[in-house]
Amino acid sequence: MLRAARTLLAVRHPLDAEIAFSEMLGSWWGERLPGVDVERLLGEGLITRATASAHPAGLGILAAVSALGTSGTQRALAEQGVIALRDRGLTVPRWATQLGWVRPLSAHVNGDRFGDIDEVVLVFGRESGPGSASSEAEHALILVQDHNGGGVLRDAWITTKVETLLEKCRERARSDGFARFEDLDPAAARAVLERALRRTEQVVSGADRSEAPVPQAVGLTASDLTGGSLATHFALANSRVRHLPEPSREAPPPVPVWRRDRRAMLAARFLASDEAAELSDSYAASRCTDHIITHGCDIDSGRPLRVSPRKVESFLLHWLPGRVVLLPEEQEAMPHVLAAWVRWAGSRDGLPEVAVAATLDAVWDSTAAFARTYRDPARPLGLRQEAVRRLLPDGDFAALARRMFAFPLMASEIVAWAPDEFDLDTSQGRRALLRLDHFGEYDATTPHNGRHSSGRDHWYRPVTGHDPVRERELDRLERLAVRLWHGRPPNLWAAARRLLDRGLARTTVLRELDEVLGAATSESELRRRLDSL
């Protein structure tokens, strides 16, 4: 890389150097090695090697990383290296002093009425240094956001023909009633793009995906994002977005917040509508509606009313099979409920009738493929439908592993014998299940306690007396199990998986998590401690 950087010493324009160095920094983006932080190893290793080189090319690399580095640590280390080499009398071309010195001039969004893809256009002018700014557009950065993919970035590129680009977008919007080209507040653009960059990085790196979509649930793989020009421009995109003005505290969030009560109200309005009147199985229709709304709120940037052919195909053929456990009657009802939702939501979202009709065609065209594609994801695990209902009352298949980790006996026959006594909605039921799981004890006052229906002795012991130490242990176990059940915070289960992958026993993992939970004094500290496990 140092040899390659020497050729860049002859570059005259800082934008050319920024693109070249961004491509260099993106050459290992998304690479994974077991037990190795590739970004840290190569990124910080490059900084160390460039600092030790005592060569102008090394100083050029350090100047580029200080402007384009994807982490604050990288940028800080690179700045220290720049100072060290300049103190030794090294000089670099003028472009190295202009890296990152840009000023945002405008932001726009280009797309169509379906809203599957947004092209966010950021226009920048070049500054020669602090306090000197140009109002002339030098280049535009275009970032392509895929809303069916959970809001990740799919592509990026740079153009210096800014006015030509903007005029073509405006002309298309004027001549095509289905196209749209709108100005975007730069601060709002920063909020949207920071979230998109974060979600993209989470999918590519395989890190905690609490805010990012599960790749297989939306038809994404990391290679889909790292194989094109996005990797080349990812470092540059991060740098440019940091130059946009920060949103004010009063600014609305980039994605609308849909609380449970608001989602329930939306479902109730739909189920009471004329479009839903012909749905015969009201229970199955209600469950299917909940899944449609969840997908729109969590995957589609908080837009459950948006419908399009691509969105319904992604929902039926990727998200549902990878994320949701549907009962047989729900599988049968889902295409009909989705078609009714398209008619209802499309009219309320102002979608033209021809677009609604095209979306309905996509629903029915996908129905046969859905029937072939969807296989109950819980069936290979040997779980009965009763156990699935208990473990996944919300149908969220992604929660199955952590819920079985927290309450493994929920899948056992003993819960079927006494469902009221092991009701997880009550503290008494949770503690009874945890007592049986961790201590092999069960309340002997129940009539079915003592012998199995087959006549064999049970494996558990009756509870004898009140043990304060045991009760305090149950308090801690219950607190941890409830957090795991609900997935709060999301990196709690991520930490548990890492410990399990190291070969630790379940009881050891629970003890480690409990110690972290007890030591943390705030939610932010808890997340930091969990990430360090």
Side-chain angles (χ1 to χ4, degrees):
M1 288 186 178
L2 281 169
R3 285 195 295 269
R6 291 174 184 175
T7 64
L8 295 174
L9 294 177
V11 171
R12 295 190 175 186
H13 200 284
L15 181 61
D16 295 330
E18 286 170 332
I19 295 173
F21 280 113
S22 180
E23 182 176 6
M24 181 184 294
L25 295 174
S27 60
W28 61 78
W29 185 52
E31 295 294 329
R32 299 189 206 174
L33 291 174
V36 177
D37 186 339
V38 176
E39 180 69 27
R40 182 175 180 180
L41 175 68
L42 295 182
E44 295 182 14
L46 176 63
I47 294 169
T48 302
R49 188 69 180 270
T51 304
S53 70
H55 190 279
L59 184 52
I61 286 178
L62 294 172
V65 176
S66 66
L68 305 177
T70 53
S71 73
T73 302
Q74 277 187 8
R75 295 192 294 274
L77 290 174
E79 287 175 4
Q80 293 172 10
V82 169
I83 294 171
L85 291 187
R86 282 187 168 173
D87 287 344
R88 298 174 65 175
L90 292 181
T91 58
V92 293
R94 185 169 179 269
W95 58 256
T97 63
Q98 294 180 297
L99 297 179
W101 287 107
V102 294
R103 185 168 71 94
L105 301 180
S106 62
H108 316 269
V109 60
N110 184 50
D112 59 32
R113 294 285 298 277
F114 276 134
D116 295 304
I117 296 290
D118 276 341
E119 295 178 344
V120 182
V121 181
L122 305 177
V123 179
F124 293 92
R126 179 70 57 175
E127 297 180 354
S128 58
S132 58
S134 170
S135 59
E136 183 179 350
E138 181 198 72
H139 63 274
L141 169 67
I142 300 90
L143 297 171
V144 181
Q145 186 177 19
D146 182 358
H147 294 290
N148 294 321
V152 300
L153 297 178
R154 285 282 199 168
D155 202 357
W157 71 92
I158 289 276
T159 181
T160 56
K161 299 179 180 179
V162 180
E163 291 305 321
T164 301
L165 171 70
L166 297 181
E167 183 53 36
K168 284 186 176 180
C169 292
R170 294 187 182 106
E171 177 59 31
R172 174 173 172 266
R174 285 193 294 265
S175 61
D176 184 351
F178 203 68
R180 64 186 182 92
F181 182 72
E182 302 166 354
D183 293 337
L184 187 62
D185 177 65
R190 174 168 180 165
V192 169
L193 292 174
E194 281 183 335
R195 180 174 180 270
L197 288 165
R198 184 170 62 250
R199 300 196 93 175
T200 305
E201 181 64 31
Q202 287 171 330
V203 171
V204 168
S205 67
D208 170 33
R209 297 193 185 107
S210 57
E211 280 194 86
V214 180
Q216 64 268 24
V218 290
L220 276 177
T221 62
S223 61
D224 292 331
L225 305 180
T226 59
S229 64
L230 181 60
T232 300
H233 295 90
F234 195 75
L236 182 59
N238 271 283
S239 174
R240 290 296 187 265
V241 169
R242 289 196 301 271
H243 282 81
L244 296 174
E246 293 189 10
S248 65
R249 293 183 178 180
E250 296 76 20
V255 173
V257 177
W258 283 82
R259 297 185 302 272
R260 183 180 301 178
D261 56 344
R262 191 179 174 198
R263 299 184 189 201
M265 187 177 300
L266 181 63
R269 286 205 297 267
F270 164 66
L271 293 170
S273 68
D274 293 339
E275 289 83 354
E278 296 182 1
L279 300 175
S280 55
D281 188 336
S282 59
Y283 176 78
S286 176
R287 298 271 294 184
C288 291
T289 302
D290 289 341
H291 297 315
I292 294 169
I293 293 174
T294 297
H295 176 263
C297 293
D298 297 345
I299 298 297
D300 189 21
S301 304
R303 298 184 296 177
L305 290 177
R306 187 183 76 82
V307 295
S308 77
R310 282 191 58 199
K311 181 177 179 178
V312 299
E313 290 171 3
S314 177
F315 173 71
L316 283 175
L317 304 183
H318 296 291
W319 191 78
L320 279 175
R323 187 65 185 262
V324 176
V325 175
L326 294 174
L327 300 177
E329 57 270 24
E330 294 165 4
Q331 295 177 39
E332 183 179 348
M334 179 57 78
H336 304 280
V337 178
L338 183 58
W341 178 271
V342 167
R343 291 191 294 269
W344 181 78
S347 63
R348 278 151 184 77
D349 204 32
L351 203 62
E353 289 187 10
V354 64
V356 173
T359 307
L360 287 172
D361 289 342
V363 173
W364 301 124
D365 290 345
S366 301
T367 298
F370 170 68
R372 292 192 305 269
T373 302
Y374 189 88
R375 296 290 183 269
D376 186 349
R379 190 172 300 167
L381 301 176
L383 295 176
R384 298 179 305 278
Q385 284 294 341
E386 313 87 74
V388 172
R389 289 176 188 261
R390 291 193 295 267
L391 286 162
L392 304 177
D394 50 3
D396 184 2
F397 183 67
L400 181 62
R402 59 177 163 81
R403 289 177 180 174
M404 287 193 68
F405 179 75
F407 296 102
L409 293 184
M410 281 296 288
S412 68
E413 290 184 8
I414 193 168
V415 176
W417 300 339
D420 294 338
E421 296 176 32
F422 297 110
D423 183 3
L424 292 188
D425 289 333
T426 68
S427 178
Q428 182 179 358
R430 292 191 294 268
R431 293 172 76 88
L433 199 59
L434 293 169
R435 186 189 297 275
L436 184 61
D437 177 22
H438 292 274
F439 308 116
E441 295 179 349
Y442 188 48
D443 188 353
T445 60
T446 54
H448 56 265
N449 186 70
R451 294 186 67 79
H452 192 276
S453 58
S454 64
R456 292 182 286 106
D457 289 338
H458 279 310
W459 51 269
Y460 49 77
R461 303 181 305 276
V463 176
T464 56
H466 177 77
D467 184 346
V469 176
R470 178 65 51 81
E471 295 302 319
R472 286 195 293 272
E473 271 193 85
L474 283 171
D475 288 340
R476 294 196 300 273
L477 288 169
E478 182 185 6
R479 177 183 59 178
L480 176 59
V482 169
R483 281 182 174 270
L484 283 167
W485 179 271
H486 293 291
R488 295 196 297 261
N491 50 353
L492 177 65
W493 177 232
R497 291 199 309 272
R498 290 196 302 272
L499 296 174
L500 290 169
D501 289 343
R502 285 168 44 193
L504 298 183
R506 173 175 174 263
T507 53
T508 305
V509 174
L510 288 171
R511 184 170 61 251
E512 294 246 7
L513 297 177
D514 178 60
E515 289 176 359
V516 170
L517 196 59
T521 57
S522 66
E523 288 296 309
S524 58
E525 182 186 353
L526 173 61
R527 288 191 290 271
R528 286 195 301 271
R529 287 177 176 267
L530 289 170
D531 288 339
S532 69
L533 281 179

